[in-house]
Amino acid sequence: MATHDVTFWFDFGSPYAYFAHRRLPAFEKATGAHVISKPFMLGSAFAQTGARPLLDIPLKAAYAKIDLARLARFYDVPFQMPPNAPTVTLAAARIFYGLNATDPAAATTFAKAVFDAAFATGQDVSEQAVVKACLRESGLDEELAAMAQEPEWKQALKDAGAKATESGVFGAPFFVHDGEPFWGVERMDMLIAKLGPVS
Amino acid sequence: MATHDVTFWFDFGSPYAYFAHRRLPAFEKATGAHVISKPFMLGSAFAQTGARPLLDIPLKAAYAKIDLARLARFYDVPFQMPPNAPTVTLAAARIFYGLNATDPAAATTFAKAVFDAAFATGQDVSEQAVVKACLRESGLDEELAAMAQEPEWKQALKDAGAKATESGVFGAPFFVHDGEPFWGVERMDMLIAKLGPVS
């Protein structure tokens, strides 16, 4: 890994990860960092740590509703919670790895389409029709949605989850730079302070 | 409550609350806000929400160790974890309410002494000798430590805990302004953005 490689761990179902994803272009510009995106299943990580989704804890869910709306204003991005959150985002994550294996730029475009579907317009990205629409919007063939059922990409996502656990990742968004962990969208500020401005 | 009254909920045993407390002078200067300090027992709040102290969750404890050291550098304040953290800070909190009833300035000075004992020099503030030293350093009689056993201040702390729960406070530091909750030291930035600079 080069010094300025930063791994970005996320779940497409995490609204806080959506904000982090929205901040990526400015983050990359400010730091010159090369961001390596790694979707994983946050629910599987929670099962290992005994944590529960924020939205399943009454007091914290009420707080998160206020906090997320505030973050949207603070970062000046559109925001709408999808129905039935937290959403299980297996298909989108598997397709991301499938695309990434041969065309990283397509995977990046697809990731943006999925995050925006989930949280800019509040759609349920666990639905195949929504995933297909994200592929089309990314200029890709909607039949690529079939990658969600291919053993190779199922395994790629499982491997990512194992790697996340091994790396001490227990939440999302979660950034790792040179072994140093940064949990939460607001810790991007500390990562920017660490990496410093582009010289 | 005046528009710029801000309630600051904390536990003297929370290192993140220590950083928030250290930021208070600059915060008050930047916003013109009047901060009302309210220590409470975070452990009691956790018992109600089913949360566990960060330091009792293996993965998160390892992360917190890195994160706290980083925050100390970021905010440029001395930092040392006390032994046996998380510390039960009943006595200090009761004495705070006892002092505050008749001499708010003394309570404020004592709070700073307790936070600094706990996290600037890493002492165990559950020990009576440490609490007495904090009183002396605040220019107060160390015999005031006896307030920790007085029913009136025991009740004041219980009442604060009940009020915290009623106000939706589930962590520390926790700020409330005009009904809007802000959880975590980094949310002070959003509160500053909301209250705006002093005109």
Side-chain angles (χ1 to χ4, degrees), chain A residues 4 17 21-22 43-44 89 112 116 124 126 134-135 151 174 184 193 199:
Chain A
H4 273 35
H21 184 263
R22 279 274 182 164
S44 304
T89 59
K112 178 162 174 27
D116 281 356
D124 182 348
S126 70
C134 289
L135 284 163
F174 205 106
S199 57

Side-chain angles (χ1 to χ4, degrees), chain A residues 16 49 52 57 59-60 63 66-67 70-71 73-74 168 170 174 180-183 186-187 190 193, chain B residues 16 49 52 57 59-60 63 66-67 70-71 73-74 168 170 174 180-183 186-187 190 193:
Chain A
Y16 288 100
T49 60
R52 285 180 296 164
I57 305 168
L59 268 181
K60 292 195 179 177
Y63 175 78
I66 295 166
D67 193 48
R70 186 168 57 200
L71 280 169
R73 292 193 301 273
F74 192 76
F170 53 80
F174 205 106
E180 186 178 351
F182 298 80
W183 175 35
E186 58 285 300
R187 285 295 180 274
M190 299 218 174
Chain B
Y16 287 100
T49 60
R52 284 180 297 163
I57 306 168
L59 267 180
K60 291 194 180 178
Y63 175 78
I66 295 166
D67 193 47
R70 186 168 56 200
L71 280 169
R73 293 193 300 273
F74 192 76
F170 53 80
F174 205 106
E180 186 178 349
F182 299 80
W183 174 35
E186 58 285 299
R187 285 295 180 274
M190 298 217 175

